Amino acid sequence: VQLQESGGGSVEAGGSLTLSCTISGDSDSVDCIAWSRHYGKRREAVGSLESTGKITYADSVKGRFTISQDSAKKTVYLQMNNLTPEDTAIYSCGTGVVLGRCFGGYEYRTWGQGTQVTVSS
């Protein structure tokens, strides 16, 4: 399984972006897609989608970010609205949690390369 993010860019505060996480390989084996954002070496869980349909969001993005999927396109989306400069980070999607839960797991087997999101004030 490989993951590829896209959709990052630069927006002004209050703007919106939609990130995509496209799955290649044996997508049927994927039971968790976790979105995270990275500030240097620090990683913050943003949200997750499990094969059961359960979606979890970090408190910092609840009401602003929405996770959805298009199974036919093997893609999971992260719709981000009302962005603030604090949302500036590299966003990546991961799967295959090794340690912990789908949301906020400590270790995942596979990550995408990440996509930069920059929000200006």
Side-chain angles (χ1 to χ4, degrees):
V1 173
Q2 292 183 321
L3 305 177
Q4 177 74 52
E5 303 93 340
S6 60
S10 299
V11 296
E12 294 184 349
S16 299
L17 283 172
T18 298
L19 306 183
S20 300
C21 174
T22 302
I23 305 165
S24 60
D26 185 12
S27 60
D28 290 338
S29 67
V30 174
D31 59 2
C32 160
I33 290 292
W35 282 101
S36 293
R37 55 191 181 188
H38 305 260
Y39 307 92
K41 293 183 179 181
R42 184 169 69 88
R43 174 167 60 89
E44 178 186 9
V46 173
S48 63
L49 169 65
E50 300 177 44
S51 58
T52 58
K54 179 181 179 182
I55 297 176
T56 306
Y57 298 101
D59 288 343
S60 58
V61 305
K62 278 181 182 177
R64 300 189 298 124
F65 290 13
T66 303
I67 292 173
S68 63
Q69 66 175 329
D70 184 331
S71 298
K73 294 183 178 180
K74 299 182 180 182
T75 299
V76 177
Y77 302 100
L78 179 66
Q79 170 71 42
M80 307 185 295
N81 297 326
N82 194 20
L83 287 162
T84 72
E86 288 70 34
D87 294 317
T88 295
I90 295 174
Y91 287 70
S92 59
C93 54
T95 191
V97 61
V98 175
L99 183 63
R101 300 177 181 177
C102 180
F103 175 79
Y106 295 101
E107 185 179 346
Y108 299 83
R109 279 195 298 272
T110 303
W111 287 100
Q113 86 291 346
T115 186
Q116 176 71 47
V117 171
T118 303
V119 185
S120 59
S121 58

